Amino acid sequence: MQEYDLLIKGGRIATASDTFSADIGIKDEKITCLGTSLNGSATRIIDATGKWVLPGGIESHCHIEQESSTGAMTSDDYYTGSVSAAFGGNTTIIPFAAQHKGQSLADVVKTYDNRAAPKSVIDYSYHLIVSDPTDKVLNEELPAVFEAGITSFKVFMTYDLIMIDDKQMLDILDVARRFGALTMVHAENNAMIKWMTERLQETGNEAAKFHGISHPRQSEVEAINRAIQLATFLDAPLLIVHVSTNEGANAIAQARQEGRKILGETCPQYMFLTDENLVGAGEEGGKFICSPPLRDFQTQKDLWRHLQNGTLQLYSSDHAPYRFDESAKLSHGPNPPFHKTANGMPGIEYRAPLLFSEGFLKGRISIQQFVELTSTNAARIFGLHPRKGTIAIGSDADIAIWNPDREVQITETSAHDNMDYSPFAGMNIKGWPELVINRGRLIIDNGELKAVRGQGEFLRRKPFETTGYISHLPPELDVSKNHGAEIL
Ligand code: DUC
Ligand code: ZN
Ligand code: ZN
Protein backbone atom coordinates (compact mmCIF):
# COMPACT_ATOMS: atom_id res chain seq x y z
CA MET A 1 0.00 0.00 0.00
CA GLN A 2 1.38 3.36 -0.99
CA GLU A 3 1.45 6.09 1.62
CA TYR A 4 0.16 8.62 -0.93
CA ASP A 5 -1.85 8.41 -4.12
CA LEU A 6 -0.09 11.53 -5.31
CA LEU A 7 2.91 13.49 -4.11
CA ILE A 8 3.56 17.02 -5.40
CA LYS A 9 7.16 17.96 -4.74
CA GLY A 10 9.21 21.12 -4.91
CA GLY A 11 6.54 23.70 -5.70
CA ARG A 12 5.82 27.10 -4.21
CA ILE A 13 2.41 27.01 -2.52
CA ALA A 14 0.16 30.04 -2.10
CA THR A 15 -3.03 30.31 -0.10
CA ALA A 16 -5.16 33.39 0.57
CA SER A 17 -2.87 34.23 3.48
CA ASP A 18 0.59 32.73 2.90
CA THR A 19 3.20 31.53 0.47
CA PHE A 20 5.65 28.77 1.34
CA SER A 21 7.71 26.02 -0.26
CA ALA A 22 6.48 22.54 0.63
CA ASP A 23 5.57 19.12 -0.72
CA ILE A 24 1.95 17.96 -0.66
CA GLY A 25 0.89 14.39 0.10
CA ILE A 26 -2.53 13.32 -1.16
CA LYS A 27 -4.47 10.22 -0.15
CA ASP A 28 -8.12 9.24 -0.71
CA GLU A 29 -9.04 12.58 -2.34
CA LYS A 30 -7.68 14.69 0.56
CA ILE A 31 -4.52 16.58 1.37
CA THR A 32 -3.03 14.46 4.14
CA CYS A 33 0.43 15.91 4.55
CA LEU A 34 2.30 19.16 4.00
CA GLY A 35 6.02 19.19 4.68
CA THR A 36 9.50 19.64 3.35
CA SER A 37 11.27 16.71 1.68
CA LEU A 38 8.35 14.29 1.98
CA ASN A 39 9.59 10.91 0.80
CA GLY A 40 6.79 8.44 1.54
CA SER A 41 5.85 6.02 -1.23
CA ALA A 42 3.42 7.37 -3.82
CA THR A 43 1.57 6.00 -6.83
CA ARG A 44 2.55 9.12 -8.75
CA ILE A 45 5.05 11.90 -8.04
CA ILE A 46 4.76 15.31 -9.71
CA ASP A 47 7.79 17.57 -9.85
CA ALA A 48 6.52 21.14 -9.37
CA THR A 49 9.90 22.86 -9.19
CA GLY A 50 9.61 26.43 -10.46
CA LYS A 51 5.81 26.28 -10.44
CA TRP A 52 3.08 27.88 -8.33
CA VAL A 53 0.92 25.31 -6.56
CA LEU A 54 -2.46 26.94 -5.90
CA PRO A 55 -5.96 25.94 -4.78
CA GLY A 56 -8.11 24.87 -7.72
CA GLY A 57 -10.26 27.69 -9.05
CA ILE A 58 -13.90 28.00 -8.04
CA GLU A 59 -15.97 29.55 -10.81
CA SER A 60 -19.03 30.79 -8.99
CA HIS A 61 -20.86 32.60 -11.78
CA CYS A 62 -21.40 30.77 -15.04
CA HIS A 63 -24.35 29.73 -17.17
CA ILE A 64 -24.19 26.15 -18.36
CA GLU A 65 -26.90 24.12 -20.09
CA GLN A 66 -29.35 26.83 -19.05
CA GLU A 67 -32.34 28.17 -20.95
CA SER A 68 -32.63 31.95 -20.89
CA SER A 69 -36.01 33.52 -20.16
CA THR A 70 -36.66 33.73 -23.91
CA GLY A 71 -35.78 30.07 -24.40
CA ALA A 72 -32.25 30.39 -25.84
CA MET A 73 -30.11 27.47 -24.65
CA THR A 74 -26.47 28.11 -23.80
CA SER A 75 -24.08 26.55 -26.26
CA ASP A 76 -22.17 24.69 -23.53
CA ASP A 77 -23.57 21.70 -21.74
CA TYR A 78 -22.15 20.34 -18.47
CA TYR A 79 -19.50 18.38 -20.35
CA THR A 80 -18.04 21.11 -22.56
CA GLY A 81 -18.57 23.80 -19.93
CA SER A 82 -16.83 21.84 -17.17
CA VAL A 83 -14.01 20.70 -19.49
CA SER A 84 -13.31 24.32 -20.44
CA ALA A 85 -13.42 25.33 -16.78
CA ALA A 86 -10.94 22.55 -15.92
CA PHE A 87 -8.48 23.64 -18.61
CA GLY A 88 -8.62 27.11 -17.04
CA GLY A 89 -7.51 25.79 -13.64
CA ASN A 90 -10.93 25.31 -12.01
CA THR A 91 -11.98 22.33 -9.93
CA THR A 92 -15.46 23.56 -8.93
CA ILE A 93 -18.22 25.32 -10.84
CA ILE A 94 -21.40 26.86 -9.45
CA PRO A 95 -23.68 27.56 -12.43
CA PHE A 96 -27.35 28.56 -12.18
CA ALA A 97 -30.44 26.35 -12.00
CA ALA A 98 -33.09 28.66 -13.42
CA GLN A 99 -36.75 28.62 -12.47
CA HIS A 100 -39.08 29.86 -15.18
CA LYS A 101 -42.54 31.06 -14.28
CA GLY A 102 -44.85 28.25 -13.15
CA GLN A 103 -42.06 25.72 -12.51
CA SER A 104 -41.66 24.05 -9.12
CA LEU A 105 -38.19 24.30 -7.63
CA ALA A 106 -38.04 20.53 -7.16
CA ASP A 107 -38.49 20.16 -10.93
CA VAL A 108 -35.84 22.77 -11.61
CA VAL A 109 -33.28 21.04 -9.41
CA LYS A 110 -34.11 17.63 -10.88
CA THR A 111 -33.68 18.99 -14.39
CA TYR A 112 -30.25 20.37 -13.57
CA ASP A 113 -29.20 17.22 -11.69
CA ASN A 114 -30.04 15.24 -14.82
CA ARG A 115 -27.93 17.62 -16.88
CA ALA A 116 -24.93 17.89 -14.58
CA ALA A 117 -24.45 14.49 -12.91
CA PRO A 118 -23.71 12.43 -16.04
CA LYS A 119 -21.51 15.08 -17.63
CA SER A 120 -19.60 17.36 -15.29
CA VAL A 121 -15.89 16.53 -15.12
CA ILE A 122 -15.36 18.69 -12.02
CA ASP A 123 -17.28 19.23 -8.78
CA TYR A 124 -20.36 21.42 -8.96
CA SER A 125 -23.27 23.02 -7.16
CA TYR A 126 -25.94 25.49 -8.36
CA HIS A 127 -27.38 28.84 -7.38
CA LEU A 128 -31.12 28.80 -7.80
CA ILE A 129 -32.63 31.57 -9.96
CA VAL A 130 -36.02 32.47 -8.47
CA SER A 131 -38.43 34.12 -10.90
CA ASP A 132 -41.80 33.04 -9.51
CA PRO A 133 -41.87 33.50 -5.73
CA THR A 134 -45.36 32.19 -4.96
CA ASP A 135 -46.32 31.46 -1.35
CA LYS A 136 -45.58 27.77 -1.95
CA VAL A 137 -42.15 28.57 -3.39
CA LEU A 138 -41.33 30.88 -0.50
CA ASN A 139 -42.65 28.78 2.35
CA GLU A 140 -42.02 25.22 1.19
CA GLU A 141 -39.87 24.96 -1.88
CA LEU A 142 -37.04 27.39 -1.08
CA PRO A 143 -36.54 25.88 2.39
CA ALA A 144 -36.39 22.40 0.80
CA VAL A 145 -33.80 23.54 -1.74
CA PHE A 146 -31.82 25.09 1.07
CA GLU A 147 -31.94 21.84 3.05
CA ALA A 148 -30.57 20.06 -0.03
CA GLY A 149 -27.44 22.20 0.24
CA ILE A 150 -28.23 24.87 -2.36
CA THR A 151 -27.72 27.91 -0.16
CA SER A 152 -27.70 30.83 -2.61
CA PHE A 153 -30.52 32.27 -4.74
CA LYS A 154 -30.30 34.76 -7.64
CA VAL A 155 -32.97 37.29 -8.57
CA PHE A 156 -33.29 39.70 -11.49
CA MET A 157 -34.42 43.33 -11.34
CA THR A 158 -34.70 43.44 -15.13
CA TYR A 159 -35.83 41.18 -18.03
CA ASP A 160 -39.65 41.13 -18.26
CA LEU A 161 -39.99 37.34 -18.17
CA ILE A 162 -37.98 36.62 -15.03
CA MET A 163 -37.73 39.88 -13.11
CA ILE A 164 -39.29 40.29 -9.69
CA ASP A 165 -40.63 43.49 -8.15
CA ASP A 166 -39.37 45.09 -4.96
CA LYS A 167 -41.96 43.44 -2.74
CA GLN A 168 -41.09 40.02 -4.14
CA MET A 169 -37.45 40.79 -3.57
CA LEU A 170 -38.19 41.56 0.07
CA ASP A 171 -40.00 38.22 0.35
CA ILE A 172 -36.99 36.35 -1.03
CA LEU A 173 -34.46 38.31 1.03
CA ASP A 174 -36.54 37.53 4.10
CA VAL A 175 -36.62 33.78 3.45
CA ALA A 176 -32.92 33.78 2.63
CA ARG A 177 -32.10 35.70 5.80
CA ARG A 178 -34.11 33.40 8.02
CA PHE A 179 -32.41 30.31 6.64
CA GLY A 180 -28.94 31.80 6.38
CA ALA A 181 -28.93 31.71 2.56
CA LEU A 182 -27.30 34.34 0.35
CA THR A 183 -29.32 36.31 -2.22
CA MET A 184 -27.52 37.35 -5.41
CA VAL A 185 -28.95 40.10 -7.56
CA HIS A 186 -28.75 41.21 -11.18
CA ALA A 187 -29.15 44.92 -10.54
CA GLU A 188 -30.29 46.99 -13.52
CA ASN A 189 -33.32 49.29 -13.65
CA ASN A 190 -35.77 47.69 -16.08
CA ALA A 191 -37.70 50.87 -16.89
CA MET A 192 -34.62 52.80 -17.95
CA ILE A 193 -33.51 49.97 -20.23
CA LYS A 194 -36.95 49.64 -21.80
CA TRP A 195 -37.37 53.39 -22.21
CA MET A 196 -33.98 53.74 -23.87
CA THR A 197 -34.56 50.67 -26.06
CA GLU A 198 -37.86 52.14 -27.30
CA ARG A 199 -36.17 55.47 -28.18
CA LEU A 200 -33.45 53.61 -30.07
CA GLN A 201 -36.01 51.49 -31.92
CA GLU A 202 -38.07 54.56 -32.90
CA THR A 203 -35.00 56.20 -34.40
CA GLY A 204 -33.88 53.06 -36.23
CA ASN A 205 -30.79 52.60 -34.09
CA GLU A 206 -30.98 48.88 -33.50
CA ALA A 207 -27.52 47.67 -34.52
CA ALA A 208 -25.40 45.82 -31.96
CA LYS A 209 -23.36 48.92 -31.22
CA PHE A 210 -26.40 50.56 -29.58
CA HIS A 211 -26.68 47.85 -26.95
CA GLY A 212 -24.47 49.72 -24.48
CA ILE A 213 -26.52 52.91 -24.84
CA SER A 214 -29.68 50.94 -24.05
CA HIS A 215 -28.24 49.93 -20.66
CA PRO A 216 -27.10 53.27 -19.19
CA ARG A 217 -24.77 53.38 -16.21
CA GLN A 218 -27.53 55.00 -14.13
CA SER A 219 -29.65 51.92 -14.66
CA GLU A 220 -27.08 49.83 -12.78
CA VAL A 221 -26.39 52.47 -10.16
CA GLU A 222 -30.06 53.03 -9.33
CA ALA A 223 -30.75 49.32 -9.04
CA ILE A 224 -27.66 48.61 -6.91
CA ASN A 225 -28.64 51.41 -4.51
CA ARG A 226 -32.23 50.16 -4.33
CA ALA A 227 -31.14 46.57 -3.77
CA ILE A 228 -28.79 47.66 -0.98
CA GLN A 229 -31.63 49.57 0.72
CA LEU A 230 -33.99 46.59 0.45
CA ALA A 231 -31.38 44.26 1.95
CA THR A 232 -30.45 46.75 4.64
CA PHE A 233 -34.11 47.15 5.61
CA LEU A 234 -34.22 43.42 6.46
CA ASP A 235 -30.59 43.11 7.50
CA ALA A 236 -30.26 40.39 4.88
CA PRO A 237 -26.95 39.59 3.18
CA LEU A 238 -26.82 40.46 -0.50
CA LEU A 239 -24.30 39.84 -3.28
CA ILE A 240 -24.41 42.29 -6.20
CA VAL A 241 -23.15 40.31 -9.20
CA HIS A 242 -21.37 41.52 -12.35
CA VAL A 243 -20.78 45.10 -11.16
CA SER A 244 -19.78 47.17 -14.19
CA THR A 245 -19.63 50.76 -12.89
CA ASN A 246 -17.48 52.73 -10.48
CA GLU A 247 -20.59 54.35 -9.01
CA GLY A 248 -22.14 50.93 -8.35
CA ALA A 249 -18.96 49.67 -6.68
CA ASN A 250 -18.78 52.89 -4.62
CA ALA A 251 -22.29 52.23 -3.33
CA ILE A 252 -21.14 48.77 -2.22
CA ALA A 253 -18.03 50.24 -0.58
CA GLN A 254 -20.15 52.75 1.31
CA ALA A 255 -22.57 50.08 2.51
CA ARG A 256 -19.72 47.85 3.66
CA GLN A 257 -18.10 50.71 5.48
CA GLU A 258 -21.35 51.13 7.37
CA GLY A 259 -21.18 47.47 8.37
CA ARG A 260 -23.92 46.22 6.08
CA LYS A 261 -23.78 42.67 4.75
CA ILE A 262 -23.23 43.59 1.12
CA LEU A 263 -20.84 41.76 -1.20
CA GLY A 264 -19.78 42.51 -4.77
CA GLU A 265 -18.53 40.72 -7.86
CA THR A 266 -17.06 41.81 -11.17
CA CYS A 267 -15.97 39.92 -14.29
CA PRO A 268 -13.05 39.87 -16.73
CA GLN A 269 -15.06 41.42 -19.56
CA TYR A 270 -15.42 44.67 -17.60
CA MET A 271 -11.69 44.70 -16.81
CA PHE A 272 -10.21 43.68 -20.15
CA LEU A 273 -12.77 44.86 -22.75
CA THR A 274 -14.62 48.12 -23.41
CA ASP A 275 -17.53 49.42 -25.48
CA GLU A 276 -14.94 50.05 -28.21
CA ASN A 277 -14.84 46.27 -28.74
CA LEU A 278 -18.61 46.28 -29.19
CA VAL A 279 -18.67 49.25 -31.55
CA GLY A 280 -15.49 48.24 -33.40
CA ALA A 281 -16.80 44.78 -34.19
CA GLY A 282 -19.41 46.24 -36.57
CA GLU A 283 -21.63 43.47 -37.87
CA GLU A 284 -20.02 41.11 -35.38
CA GLY A 285 -20.86 43.42 -32.48
CA GLY A 286 -23.33 40.84 -31.20
CA LYS A 287 -20.34 38.85 -29.95
CA PHE A 288 -19.80 41.58 -27.36
CA ILE A 289 -23.41 41.96 -26.23
CA CYS A 290 -23.70 41.18 -22.55
CA SER A 291 -25.61 42.66 -19.64
CA PRO A 292 -24.60 44.82 -17.95
CA PRO A 293 -22.79 46.04 -21.07
CA LEU A 294 -19.10 46.73 -21.61
CA ARG A 295 -18.11 50.19 -20.33
CA ASP A 296 -14.97 52.33 -20.84
CA PHE A 297 -11.24 52.44 -20.05
CA GLN A 298 -11.71 54.53 -16.91
CA THR A 299 -14.11 51.88 -15.58
CA GLN A 300 -11.45 49.21 -16.09
CA LYS A 301 -9.11 51.15 -13.82
CA ASP A 302 -11.87 51.72 -11.27
CA LEU A 303 -12.77 48.04 -11.13
CA TRP A 304 -9.13 47.03 -10.63
CA ARG A 305 -9.05 49.37 -7.65
CA HIS A 306 -12.24 47.91 -6.20
CA LEU A 307 -10.84 44.39 -6.56
CA GLN A 308 -7.51 45.40 -5.05
CA ASN A 309 -9.05 47.02 -1.98
CA GLY A 310 -11.62 44.29 -1.30
CA THR A 311 -14.82 46.20 -2.13
CA LEU A 312 -15.45 43.46 -4.68
CA GLN A 313 -14.65 40.02 -3.29
CA LEU A 314 -15.53 37.89 -6.28
CA TYR A 315 -14.09 37.80 -9.78
CA SER A 316 -16.17 35.48 -11.96
CA SER A 317 -16.39 34.82 -15.67
CA ASP A 318 -20.18 35.15 -16.05
CA HIS A 319 -19.59 32.60 -18.81
CA ALA A 320 -22.82 32.84 -20.81
CA PRO A 321 -21.90 31.09 -24.05
CA TYR A 322 -24.07 31.77 -27.10
CA ARG A 323 -22.48 30.86 -30.42
CA PHE A 324 -22.33 33.54 -33.10
CA ASP A 325 -24.50 31.50 -35.44
CA GLU A 326 -28.15 30.73 -36.09
CA SER A 327 -28.28 28.39 -33.06
CA ALA A 328 -27.87 31.29 -30.63
CA LYS A 329 -26.78 34.91 -31.18
CA LEU A 330 -28.09 34.93 -34.77
CA SER A 331 -31.33 33.03 -34.18
CA HIS A 332 -33.20 36.11 -35.47
CA GLY A 333 -31.11 36.18 -38.65
CA PRO A 334 -27.85 37.92 -39.56
CA ASN A 335 -27.43 41.39 -38.07
CA PRO A 336 -30.22 41.05 -35.51
CA PRO A 337 -31.36 44.07 -33.52
CA PHE A 338 -29.42 44.35 -30.25
CA HIS A 339 -32.57 43.73 -28.21
CA LYS A 340 -33.10 40.38 -29.93
CA THR A 341 -29.55 39.14 -29.41
CA ALA A 342 -28.83 36.72 -26.55
CA ASN A 343 -26.98 38.48 -23.74
CA GLY A 344 -23.69 37.02 -22.68
CA MET A 345 -20.21 35.99 -23.69
CA PRO A 346 -17.90 33.06 -22.97
CA GLY A 347 -14.78 33.19 -20.79
CA ILE A 348 -14.74 30.40 -18.21
CA GLU A 349 -11.35 29.09 -19.39
CA TYR A 350 -9.57 32.45 -19.45
CA ARG A 351 -10.95 33.95 -16.23
CA ALA A 352 -8.10 32.87 -13.95
CA PRO A 353 -5.29 33.00 -16.56
CA LEU A 354 -6.20 36.61 -17.44
CA LEU A 355 -5.98 37.59 -13.78
CA PHE A 356 -2.72 35.67 -13.27
CA SER A 357 -1.14 37.38 -16.26
CA GLU A 358 -2.52 40.91 -15.98
CA GLY A 359 -3.06 41.02 -12.23
CA PHE A 360 -0.41 38.97 -10.45
CA LEU A 361 2.46 38.97 -12.95
CA LYS A 362 2.03 42.66 -13.68
CA GLY A 363 2.06 43.53 -9.97
CA ARG A 364 -1.53 44.77 -9.63
CA ILE A 365 -2.39 42.11 -7.04
CA SER A 366 -0.39 39.71 -4.89
CA ILE A 367 -0.43 35.95 -5.42
CA GLN A 368 -2.50 35.67 -2.22
CA GLN A 369 -5.08 38.06 -3.67
CA PHE A 370 -5.09 36.02 -6.86
CA VAL A 371 -5.92 32.93 -4.78
CA GLU A 372 -8.64 34.79 -2.85
CA LEU A 373 -10.25 36.14 -6.01
CA THR A 374 -10.17 32.93 -8.00
CA SER A 375 -10.89 30.43 -5.25
CA THR A 376 -10.92 31.14 -1.51
CA ASN A 377 -13.48 33.94 -1.39
CA ALA A 378 -15.95 31.93 -3.46
CA ALA A 379 -15.44 28.94 -1.14
CA ARG A 380 -16.05 31.10 1.92
CA ILE A 381 -19.02 33.01 0.54
CA PHE A 382 -20.76 29.98 -0.93
CA GLY A 383 -20.31 27.63 2.02
CA LEU A 384 -17.55 25.36 0.71
CA HIS A 385 -14.60 26.45 2.86
CA PRO A 386 -12.39 24.83 4.14
CA ARG A 387 -13.25 21.71 2.16
CA LYS A 388 -12.58 23.77 -0.98
CA GLY A 389 -10.64 26.95 -1.70
CA THR A 390 -7.42 26.31 0.21
CA ILE A 391 -4.42 24.05 0.56
CA ALA A 392 -4.59 22.60 4.05
CA ILE A 393 -4.52 19.21 5.72
CA GLY A 394 -7.98 17.68 5.48
CA SER A 395 -9.11 19.81 2.53
CA ASP A 396 -10.08 18.22 -0.76
CA ALA A 397 -7.01 17.85 -2.95
CA ASP A 398 -8.15 20.47 -5.50
CA ILE A 399 -4.99 21.95 -6.92
CA ALA A 400 -3.80 23.81 -10.01
CA ILE A 401 -0.09 23.85 -10.82
CA TRP A 402 0.76 27.03 -12.69
CA ASN A 403 3.76 27.53 -14.95
CA PRO A 404 4.42 31.28 -14.62
CA ASP A 405 6.55 31.37 -17.79
CA ARG A 406 4.18 29.70 -20.20
CA GLU A 407 2.94 32.15 -22.88
CA VAL A 408 -0.45 31.64 -24.44
CA GLN A 409 -2.12 33.39 -27.32
CA ILE A 410 -5.90 33.43 -27.14
CA THR A 411 -7.58 32.82 -30.48
CA GLU A 412 -11.25 32.67 -31.48
CA THR A 413 -11.34 28.93 -30.84
CA SER A 414 -8.41 28.16 -28.54
CA ALA A 415 -10.69 27.46 -25.57
CA HIS A 416 -12.16 24.00 -25.01
CA ASP A 417 -15.75 25.23 -24.76
CA ASN A 418 -18.33 24.74 -27.50
CA MET A 419 -17.97 28.28 -28.80
CA ASP A 420 -17.08 29.61 -32.23
CA TYR A 421 -15.47 32.79 -30.92
CA SER A 422 -13.75 34.30 -27.91
CA PRO A 423 -14.17 37.96 -26.93
CA PHE A 424 -10.56 37.85 -25.71
CA ALA A 425 -9.12 36.60 -29.04
CA GLY A 426 -5.82 38.30 -29.90
CA MET A 427 -4.66 38.74 -26.32
CA ASN A 428 -1.30 37.26 -25.32
CA ILE A 429 -1.09 36.15 -21.74
CA LYS A 430 1.60 34.68 -19.52
CA GLY A 431 1.20 31.92 -16.96
CA TRP A 432 -0.94 28.81 -17.37
CA PRO A 433 -2.39 26.06 -15.12
CA GLU A 434 -0.64 23.11 -16.73
CA LEU A 435 -1.75 20.45 -14.27
CA VAL A 436 -5.13 20.42 -12.55
CA ILE A 437 -6.17 18.01 -9.80
CA ASN A 438 -9.73 17.54 -8.48
CA ARG A 439 -10.17 15.47 -5.31
CA GLY A 440 -6.75 13.91 -5.87
CA ARG A 441 -7.38 12.93 -9.49
CA LEU A 442 -5.27 14.48 -12.21
CA ILE A 443 -7.86 15.92 -14.60
CA ILE A 444 -5.63 18.07 -16.84
CA ASP A 445 -2.09 16.93 -17.61
CA ASN A 446 -0.14 19.40 -19.76
CA GLY A 447 -2.90 20.15 -22.23
CA GLU A 448 -4.49 16.70 -22.10
CA LEU A 449 -7.88 16.00 -20.55
CA LYS A 450 -7.67 13.04 -18.18
CA ALA A 451 -11.08 13.34 -16.55
CA VAL A 452 -14.08 11.32 -17.65
CA ARG A 453 -17.67 12.48 -18.04
CA GLY A 454 -19.59 12.57 -14.81
CA GLN A 455 -16.67 12.25 -12.41
CA GLY A 456 -17.52 15.61 -10.82
CA GLU A 457 -19.59 15.43 -7.63
CA PHE A 458 -22.51 17.53 -6.46
CA LEU A 459 -21.45 19.62 -3.45
CA ARG A 460 -23.86 20.25 -0.61
CA ARG A 461 -23.04 23.73 0.64
CA LYS A 462 -23.23 25.21 4.13
CA PRO A 463 -25.49 28.20 4.94
CA PHE A 464 -23.93 31.57 4.22
CA GLU A 465 -24.40 32.80 7.77
CA THR A 466 -22.35 29.96 9.21
CA THR A 467 -19.36 30.53 6.97
CA GLY A 468 -17.95 33.28 9.16
CA TYR A 469 -17.36 35.31 6.04
CA ILE A 470 -19.15 38.25 7.60
CA SER A 471 -17.93 38.30 11.16
CA HIS A 472 -19.17 41.63 12.43
CA LEU A 473 -22.82 40.71 12.99
CA PRO A 474 -24.22 41.79 16.33
CA PRO A 475 -25.19 38.63 18.24
CA GLU A 476 -28.94 39.29 18.08
CA LEU A 477 -28.74 39.24 14.27
CA ASP A 478 -26.47 36.25 13.93
CA VAL A 479 -28.91 33.67 12.61
CA SER A 480 -26.22 31.00 12.53
CA LYS A 481 -26.93 30.73 16.26
CA ASN A 482 -30.64 30.68 15.59
CA HIS A 483 -30.93 28.67 12.43
CA GLY A 484 -34.24 29.07 10.63
CA ALA A 485 -35.93 30.96 13.43
CA GLU A 486 -38.04 34.09 13.07
CA ILE A 487 -36.07 37.13 14.13
CA LEU A 488 -38.38 39.90 13.01
N1 DUC B 1 -26.94 38.14 -16.49
C1 DUC B 1 -26.00 37.29 -16.21
O1 DUC B 1 -25.67 37.11 -15.04
N2 DUC B 1 -25.36 36.65 -17.18
C2 DUC B 1 -25.68 36.76 -18.54
C3 DUC B 1 -26.73 37.71 -18.85
C4 DUC B 1 -27.35 38.37 -17.71
O2 DUC B 1 -28.23 39.17 -17.87
ZN1 ZN C 1 -27.17 38.76 -14.42
ZN1 ZN D 1 -24.50 35.64 -15.35
Side-chain angles (χ1 to χ4, degrees):
M1 242 284 263
Q2 307 279 22
E3 191 172 342
Y4 303 115
D5 299 328
L6 192 58
L7 192 52
I8 302 170
K9 288 182 74 71
R12 183 89 185 149
I13 297 172
T15 67
S17 57
D18 303 299
T19 71
F20 51 96
S21 296
D23 303 336
I24 302 177
I26 295 165
K27 181 79 180 164
D28 295 337
E29 305 190 354
K30 302 282 182 192
I31 296 171
T32 56
C33 197
L34 290 170
T36 46
S37 309
L38 293 186
N39 51 21
S41 59
T43 309
R44 175 159 181 182
I45 298 176
I46 292 171
D47 178 8
T49 308
K51 311 280 166 61
W52 280 104
V53 179
L54 308 179
I58 299 176
E59 168 57 83
S60 62
H61 184 156
C62 51
H63 303 264
I64 294 181
E65 215 166 332
Q66 181 196 326
E67 293 96 353
S68 74
S69 56
T70 54
M73 185 56 142
T74 58
S75 302
D76 275 315
D77 66 9
Y78 269 84
Y79 183 69
T80 56
S82 65
V83 165
S84 188
F87 272 101
N90 299 289
T91 48
T92 297
I93 44 173
I94 316 181
F96 294 91
Q99 181 202 31
H100 296 292
K101 291 228 160 50
Q103 265 187 307
S104 85
L105 299 188
D107 278 352
V108 175
V109 172
K110 199 159 140 213
T111 299
Y112 281 84
D113 282 343
N114 288 336
R115 291 174 180 176
K119 294 182 216 153
S120 188
V121 301
I122 59 177
D123 292 348
Y124 62 92
S125 175
Y126 327 107
H127 314 287
L128 197 90
I129 291 177
V130 188
S131 64
D132 197 3
T134 59
D135 284 349
K136 187 159 187 277
V137 165
L138 291 168
N139 298 323
E140 295 169 31
E141 298 185 9
L142 271 178
V145 165
F146 176 82
E147 286 304 326
I150 297 172
T151 54
S152 44
F153 315 138
K154 182 178 177 190
V155 295
F156 286 78
M157 297 169 84
T158 186
Y159 294 126
D160 284 339
L161 296 173
I162 49 169
M163 67 179 281
I164 54 164
D165 64 26
D166 292 353
K167 173 159 179 309
Q168 291 173 315
M169 184 147 159
L170 287 171
D171 285 336
I172 292 167
L173 283 166
D174 183 44
V175 172
R177 176 183 58 77
R178 281 188 282 125
F179 283 85
L182 177 63
T183 306
M184 308 158 73
V185 65
H186 178 125
E188 287 188 289
N189 177 301
N190 195 51
M192 284 190 214
I193 295 169
K194 280 178 87 165
W195 191 91
M196 207 55 232
T197 301
E198 281 172 18
R199 299 290 86 73
L200 289 163
Q201 280 178 280
E202 281 163 14
T203 50
N205 292 317
E206 296 185 84
K209 66 181 177 187
F210 295 104
H211 170 71
I213 299 170
S214 72
H215 287 243
R217 302 173 75 90
Q218 291 81 358
S219 148
E220 175 171 291
V221 179
E222 186 281 329
I224 287 180
N225 277 294
R226 181 158 37 105
I228 289 174
Q229 295 307 323
L230 294 172
T232 301
F233 172 53
L234 294 180
D235 196 42
L238 181 67
L239 166 61
I240 320 278
V241 295
H242 47 52
V243 175
S244 72
T245 56
N246 185 40
E247 307 88 302
N250 281 340
I252 295 169
Q254 169 84 23
R256 290 175 63 75
Q257 206 200 351
E258 291 166 7
R260 303 185 198 168
K261 296 179 276 184
I262 305 296
L263 302 162
E265 172 206 76
T266 194
C267 316
Q269 46 272 40
Y270 305 116
M271 299 170 62
F272 300 108
L273 305 173
T274 67
D275 50 0
E276 288 187 11
N277 294 96
L278 170 69
V279 174
E283 291 190 357
E284 303 208 335
K287 291 178 175 177
F288 296 90
I289 286 185
C290 61
S291 290
L294 302 177
R295 306 292 185 187
D296 57 14
F297 288 105
Q298 181 57 44
T299 304
Q300 293 186 340
K301 290 192 193 141
D302 295 328
L303 292 174
W304 274 109
R305 194 178 66 253
H306 289 295
L307 271 188
Q308 287 160 337
N309 69 18
T311 293
L312 303 174
Q313 303 76 35
L314 292 169
Y315 161 82
S316 314
S317 70
D318 195 1
H319 182 74
Y322 297 104
R323 289 172 68 98
F324 196 66
D325 64 20
E326 60 290 344
S327 74
K329 290 261 186 194
L330 304 182
S331 62
H332 290 271
N335 264 326
F338 68 84
H339 48 91
K340 289 201 170 149
T341 304
N343 274 254
M345 54 176 67
I348 203 164
E349 191 159 333
Y350 296 121
R351 171 188 79 113
L354 282 165
L355 193 69
F356 191 94
S357 175
E358 304 307 301
F360 168 53
L361 289 183
K362 292 201 172 156
R364 292 184 172 106
I365 56 171
S366 66
I367 191 72
Q368 293 98 324
Q369 283 176 302
F370 173 82
V371 171
E372 278 192 320
L373 288 167
T374 55
S375 180
T376 315
N377 283 353
R380 288 174 178 152
I381 290 169
F382 295 114
L384 292 169
H385 193 265
R387 177 176 173 192
K388 305 285 190 190
T390 192
I391 293 181
I393 290 171
S395 294
D396 279 2
D398 288 352
I399 292 168
I401 302 181
W402 288 72
N403 178 348
D405 300 317
R406 170 89 171 268
E407 294 185 12
V408 171
Q409 187 184 35
I410 302 176
T411 70
E412 297 287 2
T413 54
S414 49
H416 296 78
D417 55 15
N418 188 34
M419 288 298 294
D420 52 359
Y421 79 95
S422 167
F424 304 106
M427 286 186 68
N428 296 304
I429 55 175
K430 208 168 166 200
W432 193 258
E434 290 180 335
L435 282 84
V436 184
I437 296 155
N438 183 201
R439 275 182 291 106
R441 296 183 182 85
L442 191 60
I443 56 169
I444 302 291
D445 187 357
N446 281 303
E448 261 186 69
L449 178 70
K450 298 290 182 188
V452 296
R453 279 171 190 266
Q455 80 173 57
E457 275 187 4
F458 174 75
L459 302 169
R460 283 178 64 92
R461 294 185 284 118
K462 293 184 286 188
F464 173 73
E465 292 287 17
T466 60
T467 61
Y469 190 75
I470 286 177
S471 54
H472 55 261
L473 282 187
E476 68 275 18
L477 296 179
D478 186 351
V479 294
S480 64
K481 300 196 180 65
N482 193 10
H483 176 75
E486 290 285 346
I487 59 168
L488 264 188

